Amino acid sequence: QAFRITSLPGSIVCFTRWDVEQVWRDAIGLAGFECKRQLVWAKNAHTMGDCKRQFGASHEPAIFAIKEKRRGKGSASFAFPGGRPTTMLKHAKPPPSIRTHPTEKPVSLLEELIESLTRPGDLVVDPFAGSGSTGEAALRTGRRFFGCEMDAEHFERARSRLKGVASRS
């Protein structure tokens, strides 16, 4: 469905874990997107997990992919609206005291991505909206937002968060 609703030319960013990244890359490619590059979110601290037999991950990979029409009349080629960004995204992980979701991303990270990939007024879609941080970043940068979240508790928190952002805009 992501391919169907992504406009031409358009793009997606999919954050993932290292051990399932290839599954996501395959699914994204089968959907019709062209996987272009791995992005790396460099966090300020490592994650938890097996502290005795495993390195502490201080980064999270993401897949950047595009949708474009390449041949024939009316072709639409993808281009970065604000110039070419780098693959290294350095933003501190939200501290546990303010995080409302286990995989919450910092708003500054999402603002950087949104400003790199979209123009003001564009629609940003997050099918795994979680805490609503993507929605907050979209609204703060003058974009429209549509998000989905299956967990009712997270959905209500995200909705409340976005109402607060919208009222300040």
Side-chain angles (χ1 to χ4, degrees):
Q1 296 304 323
F3 188 80
R4 182 182 61 79
I5 67 169
T6 300
S7 61
L8 280 170
S11 63
I12 64 168
V13 173
C14 177
F15 285 90
T16 182
R17 291 189 331 250
W18 71 272
D19 58 332
V20 293
E21 182 175 358
Q22 189 59 52
V23 173
W24 280 105
R25 289 177 62 85
D26 292 344
I28 289 166
L30 287 170
F33 290 98
E34 181 183 349
C35 293
K36 296 299 282 184
R37 183 72 68 177
Q38 180 193 64
L39 307 178
V40 176
W41 167 30
K43 306 174 183 184
N44 64 329
H46 63 77
T47 58
M48 296 304 291
D50 185 344
C51 297
K52 294 183 180 183
R53 298 177 298 154
Q54 168 177 311
F55 285 88
S58 61
H59 75 284
E60 186 172 324
I63 301 160
F64 166 63
I66 62 171
K67 175 182 179 178
E68 63 182 356
K69 184 177 176 183
R70 292 188 227 163
R71 295 190 192 102
K73 192 174 182 179
S75 65
S77 293
F78 178 84
F80 294 107
R84 186 180 188 202
T86 68
T87 59
M88 186 62 68
L89 307 162
K90 298 176 183 178
H91 296 268
K93 191 166 105 173
S97 61
I98 65 164
R99 245 187 351 252
T100 63
H101 190 277
T103 62
E104 187 169 343
K105 309 294 183 281
V107 173
S108 62
L109 165 68
L110 300 166
E111 285 175 338
E112 179 180 349
L113 288 168
I114 289 168
E115 288 176 330
S116 294
L117 297 170
T118 66
R119 291 179 173 81
D122 282 354
L123 177 64
V124 174
V125 177
D126 186 349
F128 309 100
S131 68
S133 52
T134 302
E136 180 176 341
L139 297 175
R140 286 173 45 168
T141 58
R143 277 65 170 180
R144 297 173 297 130
F145 177 72
F146 179 84
C148 302
E149 176 54 51
M150 288 178 38
D151 184 283
E153 190 176 318
H154 290 303
F155 173 81
E156 287 303 325
R157 280 195 212 127
R159 181 165 49 177
S160 176
R161 176 184 193 164
L162 296 178
K163 280 183 182 178
V165 173
S167 69
R168 292 190 298 267
S169 299

